Amino acid sequence: MQDQLMLKIKDLLLADEMKKTRALEEEIKRLKQELETLQPKIISKVEQNIAEISQPIIETKVKRELRESTDTLIEAIYPLLGKLIKKYIQVELEKLADSIDKQLDRTFSLENIKKQLIALWEGVSYKQIVLREAAVQRVEVQEVYIIEQESGILVGKYSVGKIIDQDLIAGMLTAIKAFIEDAFNQKTGSLDMIEYGTFKIIIQNSYKFYLAAVVAGTVDSKVKADLLDILLNFASKHLAKPREELTEEHLSKELAKIFNQYNEKNK
Amino acid sequence: MKKISKKVVLAGNFGVGKTSLVRKFVYQKFSDEYLSTLGVKIDRKVLHIGDTELTLVIWDIAGEVNGSKIPTSYFLGASGLIYVIDLSRPSTYANVQEEITYLEGLMEDVSICLIANKLDLVEAKDLTHTQQVVKRTIDFFTSAKTGENVNEMFYFLARKLLQVPT
């Protein structure tokens, strides 16, 4: 009875406060629920903002670290690179070893030792000797032209076959020579060889003339040096005369003597 | 019979008809492609004058005389120069004298022949006017198209080279 009375009094006295308390409890509950739904959105927003703000800072920091700690970085990467390089070298060495084995099988024969000695004696490489011997085609001087340096006029010629028009060839050769020397501004140097397929045009310059030999076959450095010597000797013997004394007939006859003999020897 | 070879250079502005003149005079063996690649094309013509067999080695040089693209060495050693102008284009003969003087400086004892080409494109009365503008004597008025005066011009130069009265 007393309790009921007390409750009644309490209701009468604290009705407003209790109402407020209940309202507050409901408000807290509602806010809690709202916060739960908003939480993932807020987190992702914060994450995004942090990324945006921190990116330039991190970049600068990394760059500085890279610059300042190059040695450390290399130290870290080196073993990895080393492994790759080591693997590559290993593979290449295996290939080389295979190739050496094959070479050795062929090299330690009497014939090859002889070739090595010839190479040593002639001052050319072993490869050139082998190439020379392997060549099916012999060296043949097919054409020789004596051409006036500036005008490109042909003043003497030698030919084993019939060539379309030697005057034109002499002219075009002079134009090509002038073009190349001019293009590369090489007034002190000069064109000394043109290679075309199995043909080589070997050029020996003298003062007012140049001599061009069209050679078929395998022209190694020895053959080239020999031919240049022959052409140079020819120039000093027959071309060091006043222009009026040089006749095409005489020069062509002299060329024929020398190069018929040369071709005969190389048959 | 005496045999002589001489280098003759054809010069003049682009499009005046140098290549066509050579084509009319010589049976050509090399293609015109050489002109655009090397800047020169070479042809040959053998002429019999008196007791001499004269081989003209004709260098047809592309482009402008003073143009830096053409090696000056192409002009060296020439005995004859054929300078070609185009009658239908006054710009091709505006600087004839200067260009010929420049070329004379490159070649020693060169015989020069000044040719006014494309005769087929102009009236006879225009020729006097052109001659007045070009202060140097025009040796021949030619037409590579009809062939008029082409052979005469080459023979005229050949005689000059051999110092035979023209």
Side-chain angles (χ1 to χ4, degrees):
Chain A
M1 190 69 194
Q2 215 172 4
D3 284 348
Q4 275 182 345
L5 191 69
M6 278 301 285
L7 272 172
K8 201 143 190 168
I9 293 166
K10 197 178 168 187
D11 275 348
L12 284 169
L13 287 174
L14 301 170
D16 280 353
E17 276 72 21
M18 285 180 73
K19 219 176 185 178
K20 277 182 192 168
T21 310
R22 269 198 298 277
L24 279 172
E25 276 171 0
E26 271 171 28
E27 182 65 17
I28 290 167
K29 200 177 165 190
R30 194 187 57 80
L31 282 173
K32 211 175 167 185
Q33 277 174 350
E34 204 174 318
L35 195 67
E36 269 170 14
T37 51
L38 279 174
Q39 199 180 17
K41 283 182 192 167
I42 293 167
I43 290 172
S44 82
K45 186 83 179 168
V46 169
E47 277 176 355
Q48 200 184 337
N49 283 349
I50 287 177
E52 273 171 21
I53 296 163
S54 61
Q55 197 181 359
I57 302 167
I58 294 170
E59 272 180 10
T60 324
K61 175 84 177 155
V62 169
K63 276 180 191 165
R64 204 175 63 221
E65 279 296 313
L66 280 172
R67 210 170 34 242
E68 287 172 2
S69 326
T70 321
D71 288 346
T72 323
L73 273 165
I74 291 174
E75 206 68 52
I77 297 168
Y78 197 80
L80 294 172
L81 279 174
K83 274 180 199 162
L84 287 171
I85 294 166
K86 198 175 149 190
K87 179 73 188 163
Y88 176 77
I89 292 174
Q90 205 174 3
V91 171
E92 287 304 307
L93 276 175
E94 276 168 17
K95 282 192 207 162
L96 183 66
D98 280 352
S99 152
I100 289 172
D101 284 345
K102 283 180 194 162
Q103 286 287 337
L104 282 174
D105 288 344
R106 287 197 294 261
T107 308
F108 285 109
S109 66
L110 258 180
E111 190 57 32
N112 276 302
I113 291 167
K114 200 175 122 192
K115 275 182 206 156
Q116 301 269 18
L117 288 173
I118 293 171
L120 207 64
W121 177 255
E122 290 187 355
V124 295
S125 78
Y126 172 68
K127 191 178 79 184
Q128 283 178 348
I129 296 277
V130 175
L131 277 176
R132 200 157 71 193
E133 292 193 358
V136 183
Q137 216 175 2
R138 67 195 172 86
V139 175
E140 185 186 44
V141 175
Q142 299 197 327
E143 305 275 325
V144 182
Y145 307 114
I146 304 169
I147 303 164
E148 234 175 16
Q149 286 277 15
E150 288 187 343
S151 67
I153 297 281
L154 188 67
V155 294
K157 61 191 177 220
Y158 165 78
S159 179
V160 289
K162 280 205 166 181
I163 282 289
I164 45 158
D165 206 317
Q166 289 152 321
D167 287 308
L168 291 187
I169 291 173
M172 285 310 276
L173 205 54
T174 310
I176 292 167
K177 204 168 162 289
F179 182 80
I180 294 171
E181 285 163 10
D182 191 90
F184 297 104
N185 203 15
Q186 287 293 308
K187 290 294 167 203
T188 46
S190 58
L191 183 69
D192 69 349
M193 189 157 89
I194 297 173
E195 236 178 296
Y196 181 75
T198 54
F199 289 93
K200 282 193 177 66
I201 303 173
I202 294 168
I203 297 167
Q204 173 68 62
N205 285 287
S206 76
Y207 178 53
K208 281 190 170 172
F209 304 92
Y210 69 93
L211 297 95
V214 181
V215 189
T218 313
V219 181
D220 60 21
S221 51
K222 186 182 180 296
V223 171
K224 187 184 164 192
D226 286 350
L227 279 168
L228 284 173
D229 275 351
I230 294 172
L231 294 174
L232 192 63
N233 285 341
F234 186 93
S236 62
K237 193 173 171 192
H238 299 284
L239 300 176
K241 289 176 188 168
R243 179 70 177 89
E244 314 79 70
E245 288 177 28
L246 300 173
T247 65
E248 189 183 328
E249 201 187 346
H250 172 72
L251 291 174
S252 300
K253 217 164 86 181
E254 292 299 324
L255 280 178
K257 266 192 222 167
I258 292 167
F259 288 99
N260 280 336
Q261 202 183 351
Y262 181 90
N263 283 338
E264 197 61 38
K265 202 177 83 186
N266 284 290
K267 253 183 187 174
Chain B
M1 184 172 271
K2 207 161 66 176
K3 284 184 179 178
I4 295 177
S5 293
K6 297 276 184 192
K7 173 178 175 178
V8 172
V9 173
L10 268 158
N13 284 17
F14 179 77
V16 293
K18 301 185 288 278
T19 308
S20 306
L21 283 168
V22 181
R23 200 179 290 136
K24 204 77 193 169
F25 183 61
V26 179
Y27 166 73
Q28 295 183 312
K29 283 181 175 155
F30 287 154
S31 130
D32 288 351
E33 276 172 37
Y34 289 103
L35 261 181
S36 48
T37 48
L38 267 182
V40 66
K41 190 167 74 74
I42 297 163
D43 283 293
R44 185 188 73 133
K45 176 90 173 180
V46 179
L47 307 176
H48 292 98
I49 294 173
D51 63 345
T52 308
E53 185 186 288
L54 173 67
T55 302
L56 288 184
V57 181
I58 305 164
W59 289 50
D60 175 4
I61 295 174
E64 314 293 307
V65 168
N66 281 316
S68 54
K69 285 177 187 169
I70 304 297
T72 46
S73 41
Y74 284 179
F75 294 98
L76 303 180
S79 308
L81 165 68
I82 300 172
Y83 192 93
V84 188
I85 61 170
D86 178 349
L87 282 167
S88 66
R89 282 190 300 148
S91 64
T92 65
Y93 50 82
N95 302 311
V96 174
Q97 195 51 52
E98 291 88 330
E99 297 206 336
I100 290 180
T101 310
Y102 168 75
L103 291 174
E104 275 179 311
L106 294 176
M107 303 176 263
E108 279 173 43
D109 301 325
V110 65
S111 298
I112 298 164
C113 202
L114 178 58
I115 303 302
N117 193 36
K118 303 199 185 174
L119 186 56
D120 53 294
L121 293 182
V122 292
E123 306 268 316
K125 62 180 168 57
D126 298 331
L127 303 183
T128 332
H129 173 69
T130 310
Q131 179 60 83
Q132 278 166 356
V133 177
V134 180
K135 287 164 193 102
R136 194 184 173 99
T137 309
I138 297 172
D139 295 299
F140 279 93
F141 291 91
T142 59
S143 166
K145 194 176 176 187
T146 64
E148 191 173 348
N149 280 338
V150 176
N151 276 7
E152 288 80 349
M153 174 268 287
F154 277 106
Y155 273 92
F156 168 80
L157 181 66
R159 286 193 194 92
K160 258 178 127 173
L161 294 177
L162 296 179
Q163 294 172 333
V164 173
T166 47

